[in-house]
Amino acid sequence: MLVSVILDALYLWAFGALLAPILNDPQGELIANPSSLGFATVVLGLAIPAGIAFAWHADMTWTKPAWGWWPSWVQIPRRRSSFESTPTAWDKVAPRHSDVWVKIRLPNGERVAGWMSGKSFVSTYPQPRDIYIQEQFTISADGSIGDRIPNTGGVWLSITDGSIVEWINEPEGDTDT
């Protein structure tokens, strides 16, 4: 409410002469200039408050564009919202992993390793955390990934609290099937 009152006061101060005919005869002005009133409503009632809200709740960083033709000394503003709607870190990070090794230690101490690629899958909110690894590999006592398990059709695991999931970007072995 306070923001609306402040914006209304600013609008009257800045655009009072333009708004006076509308305030005197709203119905007549609406009939005479519907597109102008529609434009004013969108700008004053939606665009400006939304812009203020975005600017208030966004972090602004200056970055160099990745485009090769852009001069390296020029930086462009990039806004990143400080609001994060992802429920958990698992929901944000797990689906992004592809073509990586994964090692999982379950709460009971059992360890599972495998190769995650196009046929692998992780579930995210609102479903419980679980993972399907398309190819399972042996894992040695020292934690290194060994040979592909013969005739593996993949492995499904429920990732419960206390599980440790590690993704490894560097290939540890042969991924050819």
Side-chain angles (χ1 to χ4, degrees):
M1 290 291 288
L2 180 61
V3 173
S4 294
V5 170
I6 291 170
L7 286 176
D8 288 343
L10 287 172
Y11 295 157
L12 284 174
W13 176 65
F15 308 112
L18 295 172
L19 296 173
I22 298 169
L23 296 174
N24 280 338
D25 183 19
Q27 189 174 10
E29 285 296 317
L30 178 61
I31 293 169
N33 301 310
S35 61
S36 298
L37 285 175
F39 179 76
T41 302
V42 169
V43 171
L44 300 177
L46 295 174
I48 290 175
I52 292 170
F54 183 75
W56 188 269
H57 295 286
D59 295 330
M60 186 174 193
T61 59
W62 292 88
T63 59
K64 293 180 182 177
W67 313 310
W69 55 270
W70 196 269
S72 61
W73 54 271
V74 175
Q75 293 188 346
I76 57 173
R78 190 184 94 202
R79 294 192 183 268
R80 180 177 50 99
S81 174
S82 57
F83 176 74
E84 179 59 61
S85 63
T86 307
T88 67
W90 173 268
D91 296 313
K92 182 163 185 124
V93 175
R96 296 180 180 179
H97 288 290
S98 182
D99 298 327
V100 295
W101 292 97
V102 63
K103 290 195 267 187
I104 301 169
R105 189 178 77 199
L106 300 172
N108 66 4
E110 184 180 351
R111 297 187 307 183
V112 178
W115 177 251
M116 287 190 58
S117 196
K119 295 180 184 174
S120 298
F121 181 79
V122 295
S123 65
T124 58
Y125 181 83
Q127 303 304 322
R129 292 176 304 217
D130 66 0
I131 186 169
Y132 170 74
I133 306 166
Q134 72 184 48
E135 292 182 87
Q136 187 177 4
F137 284 70
T138 61
I139 189 164
S140 64
D142 69 354
S144 61
I145 297 174
D147 296 328
R148 182 177 185 267
I149 293 178
N151 301 320
T152 181
V155 61
W156 171 87
L157 296 164
S158 176
I159 306 299
T160 59
D161 290 343
S163 298
I164 297 174
V165 180
E166 178 183 7
W167 287 279
I168 303 160
N169 291 321
E170 298 296 320
E172 288 199 7
D174 184 17
T175 60
D176 294 335
T177 55

mmCIF file of all heavy atoms in Angstrom, residues 11-38:
data_model
loop_
_atom_site.group_PDB
_atom_site.id
_atom_site.type_symbol
_atom_site.label_atom_id
_atom_site.label_comp_id
_atom_site.label_asym_id
_atom_site.label_seq_id
_atom_site.Cartn_x
_atom_site.Cartn_y
_atom_site.Cartn_z
ATOM 1 N N TYR A 11 3.618 10.039 -9.619
ATOM 2 C CA TYR A 11 2.962 10.168 -10.922
ATOM 3 C C TYR A 11 2.234 11.503 -11.030
ATOM 4 O O TYR A 11 2.296 12.176 -12.063
ATOM 5 C CB TYR A 11 1.980 9.032 -11.170
ATOM 6 C CG TYR A 11 2.590 7.654 -11.279
ATOM 7 C CD1 TYR A 11 1.818 6.525 -11.038
ATOM 8 C CD2 TYR A 11 3.920 7.474 -11.634
ATOM 9 C CE1 TYR A 11 2.355 5.262 -11.146
ATOM 10 C CE2 TYR A 11 4.458 6.203 -11.731
ATOM 11 C CZ TYR A 11 3.677 5.094 -11.484
ATOM 12 O OH TYR A 11 4.223 3.847 -11.588
ATOM 13 N N LEU A 12 1.510 11.908 -9.967
ATOM 14 C CA LEU A 12 0.793 13.184 -9.995
ATOM 15 C C LEU A 12 1.775 14.340 -10.081
ATOM 16 O O LEU A 12 1.520 15.343 -10.777
ATOM 17 C CB LEU A 12 -0.091 13.324 -8.759
ATOM 18 C CG LEU A 12 -1.383 12.513 -8.780
ATOM 19 C CD1 LEU A 12 -2.108 12.612 -7.445
ATOM 20 C CD2 LEU A 12 -2.284 12.980 -9.914
ATOM 21 N N TRP A 13 2.891 14.236 -9.371
ATOM 22 C CA TRP A 13 3.894 15.305 -9.403
ATOM 23 C C TRP A 13 4.523 15.422 -10.792
ATOM 24 O O TRP A 13 4.662 16.511 -11.326
ATOM 25 C CB TRP A 13 4.951 15.023 -8.347
ATOM 26 C CG TRP A 13 6.089 15.997 -8.349
ATOM 27 C CD1 TRP A 13 6.032 17.336 -8.060
ATOM 28 C CD2 TRP A 13 7.446 15.705 -8.661
ATOM 29 N NE1 TRP A 13 7.274 17.888 -8.171
ATOM 30 C CE2 TRP A 13 8.172 16.905 -8.532
ATOM 31 C CE3 TRP A 13 8.129 14.552 -9.027
ATOM 32 C CZ2 TRP A 13 9.534 16.977 -8.766
ATOM 33 C CZ3 TRP A 13 9.487 14.623 -9.242
ATOM 34 C CH2 TRP A 13 10.174 15.833 -9.119
ATOM 35 N N ALA A 14 4.889 14.256 -11.395
ATOM 36 C CA ALA A 14 5.590 14.268 -12.680
ATOM 37 C C ALA A 14 4.646 14.444 -13.861
ATOM 38 O O ALA A 14 4.989 15.113 -14.835
ATOM 39 C CB ALA A 14 6.383 12.977 -12.846
ATOM 40 N N PHE A 15 3.460 13.850 -13.796
ATOM 41 C CA PHE A 15 2.561 13.843 -14.954
ATOM 42 C C PHE A 15 1.206 14.476 -14.644
ATOM 43 O O PHE A 15 0.213 14.166 -15.295
ATOM 44 C CB PHE A 15 2.336 12.397 -15.444
ATOM 45 C CG PHE A 15 3.585 11.634 -15.698
ATOM 46 C CD1 PHE A 15 3.936 10.567 -14.884
ATOM 47 C CD2 PHE A 15 4.429 11.967 -16.745
ATOM 48 C CE1 PHE A 15 5.094 9.845 -15.114
ATOM 49 C CE2 PHE A 15 5.584 11.264 -16.982
ATOM 50 C CZ PHE A 15 5.926 10.194 -16.160
ATOM 51 N N GLY A 16 1.144 15.345 -13.655
ATOM 52 C CA GLY A 16 -0.124 15.927 -13.216
ATOM 53 C C GLY A 16 -0.899 16.613 -14.323
ATOM 54 O O GLY A 16 -2.114 16.444 -14.450
ATOM 55 N N ALA A 17 -0.196 17.370 -15.162
ATOM 56 C CA ALA A 17 -0.879 18.094 -16.249
ATOM 57 C C ALA A 17 -1.491 17.128 -17.259
ATOM 58 O O ALA A 17 -2.572 17.371 -17.802
ATOM 59 C CB ALA A 17 0.100 19.038 -16.951
ATOM 60 N N LEU A 18 -0.808 15.997 -17.500
ATOM 61 C CA LEU A 18 -1.342 15.003 -18.434
ATOM 62 C C LEU A 18 -2.470 14.182 -17.816
ATOM 63 O O LEU A 18 -3.372 13.720 -18.523
ATOM 64 C CB LEU A 18 -0.219 14.059 -18.887
ATOM 65 C CG LEU A 18 0.910 14.682 -19.710
ATOM 66 C CD1 LEU A 18 2.027 13.675 -19.915
ATOM 67 C CD2 LEU A 18 0.371 15.153 -21.046
ATOM 68 N N LEU A 19 -2.422 13.995 -16.496
ATOM 69 C CA LEU A 19 -3.430 13.165 -15.832
ATOM 70 C C LEU A 19 -4.681 13.945 -15.429
ATOM 71 O O LEU A 19 -5.722 13.336 -15.172
ATOM 72 C CB LEU A 19 -2.811 12.499 -14.588
ATOM 73 C CG LEU A 19 -1.680 11.507 -14.846
ATOM 74 C CD1 LEU A 19 -1.062 11.054 -13.537
ATOM 75 C CD2 LEU A 19 -2.188 10.311 -15.637
ATOM 76 N N ALA A 20 -4.598 15.264 -15.372
ATOM 77 C CA ALA A 20 -5.744 16.077 -14.928
ATOM 78 C C ALA A 20 -7.000 15.830 -15.757
ATOM 79 O O ALA A 20 -8.089 15.661 -15.191
ATOM 80 C CB ALA A 20 -5.365 17.559 -14.921
ATOM 81 N N PRO A 21 -6.933 15.793 -17.104
ATOM 82 C CA PRO A 21 -8.170 15.533 -17.867
ATOM 83 C C PRO A 21 -8.766 14.152 -17.564
ATOM 84 O O PRO A 21 -9.990 14.006 -17.540
ATOM 85 C CB PRO A 21 -7.716 15.612 -19.327
ATOM 86 C CG PRO A 21 -6.421 16.344 -19.323
ATOM 87 C CD PRO A 21 -5.813 16.114 -17.979
ATOM 88 N N ILE A 22 -7.919 13.189 -17.321
ATOM 89 C CA ILE A 22 -8.412 11.842 -17.013
ATOM 90 C C ILE A 22 -9.125 11.854 -15.673
ATOM 91 O O ILE A 22 -10.175 11.222 -15.509
ATOM 92 C CB ILE A 22 -7.242 10.824 -17.008
ATOM 93 C CG1 ILE A 22 -6.605 10.771 -18.390
ATOM 94 C CG2 ILE A 22 -7.705 9.446 -16.574
ATOM 95 C CD1 ILE A 22 -5.292 10.024 -18.441
ATOM 96 N N LEU A 23 -8.570 12.578 -14.708
ATOM 97 C CA LEU A 23 -9.183 12.626 -13.383
ATOM 98 C C LEU A 23 -10.484 13.431 -13.398
ATOM 99 O O LEU A 23 -11.400 13.153 -12.618
ATOM 100 C CB LEU A 23 -8.201 13.216 -12.367
ATOM 101 C CG LEU A 23 -6.922 12.385 -12.138
ATOM 102 C CD1 LEU A 23 -5.955 13.137 -11.236
ATOM 103 C CD2 LEU A 23 -7.262 11.023 -11.559
ATOM 104 N N ASN A 24 -10.592 14.449 -14.277
ATOM 105 C CA ASN A 24 -11.818 15.251 -14.380
ATOM 106 C C ASN A 24 -12.964 14.470 -15.012
ATOM 107 O O ASN A 24 -14.097 14.543 -14.555
ATOM 108 C CB ASN A 24 -11.572 16.524 -15.215
ATOM 109 C CG ASN A 24 -10.897 17.603 -14.417
ATOM 110 O OD1 ASN A 24 -10.959 17.597 -13.201
ATOM 111 N ND2 ASN A 24 -10.253 18.524 -15.104
ATOM 112 N N ASP A 25 -12.680 13.745 -16.109
ATOM 113 C CA ASP A 25 -13.722 13.012 -16.828
ATOM 114 C C ASP A 25 -13.165 11.650 -17.261
ATOM 115 O O ASP A 25 -12.819 11.443 -18.427
ATOM 116 C CB ASP A 25 -14.177 13.825 -18.044
ATOM 117 C CG ASP A 25 -15.314 13.159 -18.811
ATOM 118 O OD1 ASP A 25 -15.994 12.276 -18.230
ATOM 119 O OD2 ASP A 25 -15.521 13.512 -19.992
ATOM 120 N N PRO A 26 -13.078 10.677 -16.328
ATOM 121 C CA PRO A 26 -12.473 9.388 -16.660
ATOM 122 C C PRO A 26 -13.205 8.661 -17.796
ATOM 123 O O PRO A 26 -12.574 8.111 -18.692
ATOM 124 C CB PRO A 26 -12.545 8.582 -15.367
ATOM 125 C CG PRO A 26 -13.041 9.490 -14.318
ATOM 126 C CD PRO A 26 -13.494 10.757 -14.958
ATOM 127 N N GLN A 27 -14.537 8.672 -17.769
ATOM 128 C CA GLN A 27 -15.297 7.949 -18.783
ATOM 129 C C GLN A 27 -15.134 8.593 -20.159
ATOM 130 O O GLN A 27 -14.940 7.914 -21.163
ATOM 131 C CB GLN A 27 -16.770 7.881 -18.392
ATOM 132 C CG GLN A 27 -17.581 6.970 -19.277
ATOM 133 C CD GLN A 27 -19.010 6.812 -18.776
ATOM 134 O OE1 GLN A 27 -19.456 7.513 -17.880
ATOM 135 N NE2 GLN A 27 -19.736 5.895 -19.368
ATOM 136 N N GLY A 28 -15.171 9.906 -20.229
ATOM 137 C CA GLY A 28 -15.015 10.603 -21.499
ATOM 138 C C GLY A 28 -13.623 10.404 -22.086
ATOM 139 O O GLY A 28 -13.473 10.197 -23.292
ATOM 140 N N GLU A 29 -12.603 10.441 -21.241
ATOM 141 C CA GLU A 29 -11.227 10.228 -21.706
ATOM 142 C C GLU A 29 -11.025 8.784 -22.165
ATOM 143 O O GLU A 29 -10.306 8.526 -23.110
ATOM 144 C CB GLU A 29 -10.218 10.583 -20.605
ATOM 145 C CG GLU A 29 -10.035 12.061 -20.392
ATOM 146 C CD GLU A 29 -9.441 12.755 -21.600
ATOM 147 O OE1 GLU A 29 -8.495 12.228 -22.219
ATOM 148 O OE2 GLU A 29 -9.934 13.854 -21.938
ATOM 149 N N LEU A 30 -11.654 7.836 -21.483
ATOM 150 C CA LEU A 30 -11.548 6.426 -21.877
ATOM 151 C C LEU A 30 -12.162 6.210 -23.256
ATOM 152 O O LEU A 30 -11.591 5.504 -24.087
ATOM 153 C CB LEU A 30 -12.222 5.525 -20.847
ATOM 154 C CG LEU A 30 -12.234 4.030 -21.164
ATOM 155 C CD1 LEU A 30 -10.796 3.494 -21.264
ATOM 156 C CD2 LEU A 30 -12.993 3.265 -20.117
ATOM 157 N N ILE A 31 -13.305 6.861 -23.508
ATOM 158 C CA ILE A 31 -13.956 6.728 -24.813
ATOM 159 C C ILE A 31 -13.142 7.441 -25.890
ATOM 160 O O ILE A 31 -12.973 6.930 -27.000
ATOM 161 C CB ILE A 31 -15.409 7.271 -24.758
ATOM 162 C CG1 ILE A 31 -16.258 6.367 -23.859
ATOM 163 C CG2 ILE A 31 -16.017 7.383 -26.142
ATOM 164 C CD1 ILE A 31 -17.617 6.919 -23.506
ATOM 165 N N ALA A 32 -12.585 8.604 -25.566
ATOM 166 C CA ALA A 32 -11.844 9.395 -26.561
ATOM 167 C C ALA A 32 -10.460 8.830 -26.865
ATOM 168 O O ALA A 32 -10.002 8.874 -28.003
ATOM 169 C CB ALA A 32 -11.716 10.842 -26.075
ATOM 170 N N ASN A 33 -9.771 8.299 -25.849
ATOM 171 C CA ASN A 33 -8.378 7.838 -26.026
ATOM 172 C C ASN A 33 -8.140 6.490 -25.354
ATOM 173 O O ASN A 33 -7.346 6.396 -24.415
ATOM 174 C CB ASN A 33 -7.398 8.868 -25.430
ATOM 175 C CG ASN A 33 -7.527 10.215 -26.059
ATOM 176 O OD1 ASN A 33 -7.513 10.327 -27.282
ATOM 177 N ND2 ASN A 33 -7.663 11.248 -25.243
ATOM 178 N N PRO A 34 -8.795 5.428 -25.793
ATOM 179 C CA PRO A 34 -8.616 4.143 -25.102
ATOM 180 C C PRO A 34 -7.184 3.610 -25.191
ATOM 181 O O PRO A 34 -6.669 3.061 -24.224
ATOM 182 C CB PRO A 34 -9.603 3.212 -25.797
ATOM 183 C CG PRO A 34 -9.868 3.837 -27.122
ATOM 184 C CD PRO A 34 -9.698 5.314 -26.927
ATOM 185 N N SER A 35 -6.534 3.766 -26.352
ATOM 186 C CA SER A 35 -5.175 3.226 -26.474
ATOM 187 C C SER A 35 -4.190 3.990 -25.600
ATOM 188 O O SER A 35 -3.279 3.394 -25.004
ATOM 189 C CB SER A 35 -4.721 3.217 -27.933
ATOM 190 O OG SER A 35 -4.708 4.533 -28.441
ATOM 191 N N SER A 36 -4.341 5.295 -25.494
ATOM 192 C CA SER A 36 -3.452 6.089 -24.637
ATOM 193 C C SER A 36 -3.626 5.702 -23.173
ATOM 194 O O SER A 36 -2.647 5.560 -22.434
ATOM 195 C CB SER A 36 -3.734 7.581 -24.805
ATOM 196 O OG SER A 36 -3.479 7.978 -26.127
ATOM 197 N N LEU A 37 -4.869 5.527 -22.753
ATOM 198 C CA LEU A 37 -5.115 5.124 -21.365
ATOM 199 C C LEU A 37 -4.612 3.704 -21.097
ATOM 200 O O LEU A 37 -4.086 3.426 -20.023
ATOM 201 C CB LEU A 37 -6.603 5.239 -21.031
ATOM 202 C CG LEU A 37 -7.109 6.655 -20.819
ATOM 203 C CD1 LEU A 37 -8.613 6.669 -20.606
ATOM 204 C CD2 LEU A 37 -6.408 7.280 -19.640
ATOM 205 N N GLY A 38 -4.780 2.834 -22.069
ATOM 206 C CA GLY A 38 -4.256 1.473 -21.908
ATOM 207 C C GLY A 38 -2.745 1.475 -21.784
ATOM 208 O O GLY A 38 -2.182 0.789 -20.927
#
